[in-house]
Amino acid sequence: MKLSSVYLCAPINALVEGIYEENIPFSEVKEHGDFGIGTFNDLDGEMTMLDGIVYQVKSDGSVSVIGEGAMTPFACVTFYSPLTQDEISAELDYEAFNEFLYRLLPSDNLLYAVRMDGLFAHVKTRSVPKQENYRPLVEAAGEQPTFDFDNIEGTLAGFYTPSFLASLNVPGLHLHFLSSDFTCGGHLLECRPLRGRIGIQIIHKLELSLPKTLDYLTMDLSRDVRQDLNKAEK
């Protein structure tokens, strides 16, 4: 049996240090998956890929479909094929929802793709405005516009990554939201699901591509970025 894999087009610590132009085309990213999350060159919005289609949520809240020629400095994708399906049938606050998700993961030491399609009493998201290269991610995220949605149907998509891979990908659960009518979304900050179905894909392999840009080749990436990453993603 062929094991599924997660593909990273660059390590997350390069993004944390402010390298926002890796010029990796989505045509290349799509060779490795049809489901995932990430961002765009110059940190221009939040990326969600569902069923092979790439959606961009910009800092003004607008959503558009992006062509394969668009570029990214960071994306995490897989070919989504859930092993388990579980239902939520009653409202959960965000803490209880996270506890529910973590109970679905058989080990803290594996990678998982997570997708939930359902109805939410409330969803709060963000999308970072377009940035100049080299500005640290924690500073850029401090200016993030946030969006609140009530009684909305949509999809949560993302990954769980073990803490020992923190220099490569966001540790823990990292989810994006996209409404079912594809008009709003962003990086998930909190939510209250009412009902829905959660699919979990267990992933045993990680594929990492290392960028070729001069910025990446000359940047000092030895710093422990976990604290900055935690502030930027919450």
Side-chain angles (χ1 to χ4, degrees):
M1 180 181 68
K2 183 178 179 180
L3 296 177
S4 59
S5 64
V6 160
Y7 170 75
L8 299 172
C9 67
I12 191 68
N13 60 351
L15 195 74
V16 175
E17 298 292 15
I19 303 179
Y20 302 143
E21 294 180 356
E22 297 290 12
N23 302 321
I24 303 162
F26 277 99
S27 58
E28 179 179 321
V29 174
K30 283 185 172 184
E31 294 176 3
H32 303 273
D34 58 9
F35 169 93
I37 56 177
T39 187
F40 300 87
N41 260 13
D42 302 312
L43 211 64
D44 190 14
E46 305 288 340
M47 186 280 283
T48 303
M49 183 192 294
L50 296 177
D51 305 315
I53 301 173
V54 177
Y55 299 90
Q56 180 183 27
V57 181
K58 301 198 76 171
S59 61
D60 63 0
S62 63
V63 179
S64 58
V65 174
I66 296 302
E68 294 186 357
M71 302 286 189
T72 179
F74 177 80
C76 176
V77 301
T78 191
F79 287 104
Y80 183 66
S81 180
L83 179 66
T84 62
Q85 298 277 359
D86 290 89
E87 300 285 338
I88 287 179
S89 57
E91 182 173 350
L92 297 174
D93 63 27
Y94 189 49
E95 181 178 356
F97 175 58
N98 274 281
E99 290 174 356
F100 184 88
L101 288 180
Y102 276 103
R103 286 198 299 270
L104 300 179
L105 310 180
S107 171
D108 292 341
N109 299 325
L110 296 174
L111 292 153
Y112 304 90
V114 180
R115 174 170 177 164
M116 176 182 171
D117 297 280
L119 175 65
F120 299 80
H122 181 74
V123 175
K124 183 175 184 178
T125 66
R126 72 105 196 271
S127 185
V128 177
K130 188 174 182 179
Q131 299 291 320
E132 295 292 332
N133 225 12
Y134 312 125
R135 188 183 187 195
L137 182 63
V138 69
E139 292 183 13
E143 299 174 355
Q144 60 190 13
T146 60
F147 310 100
D148 291 275
F149 312 109
D150 295 317
N151 298 312
I152 188 168
E153 291 187 348
T155 299
L156 294 176
F159 296 89
Y160 168 86
T161 300
S163 59
F164 61 82
L165 295 175
S167 63
L168 302 181
N169 200 10
V170 178
L173 285 167
H174 180 194
L175 301 173
H176 287 188
F177 175 76
L178 191 65
S179 65
S180 58
D181 61 4
F182 308 111
T183 62
C184 60
H187 171 92
L188 182 71
L189 295 176
E190 58 183 71
C191 67
R192 295 201 318 273
L194 291 169
R195 64 175 183 268
R197 174 170 289 187
I198 301 170
I200 302 291
Q201 177 180 359
I202 301 174
I203 298 171
H204 297 274
K205 293 173 62 179
L206 174 64
E207 183 180 2
L208 173 65
S209 181
L210 299 177
K212 306 177 184 68
T213 61
L214 181 62
D215 281 340
Y216 177 81
L217 295 174
T218 57
M219 174 68 73
D220 181 1
L221 298 177
S222 62
R223 186 173 70 94
D224 186 339
V225 301
R226 283 177 292 184
Q227 186 173 1
D228 282 5
L229 190 55
N230 184 61
K231 288 180 180 178
E233 295 298 326
K234 301 302 183 184

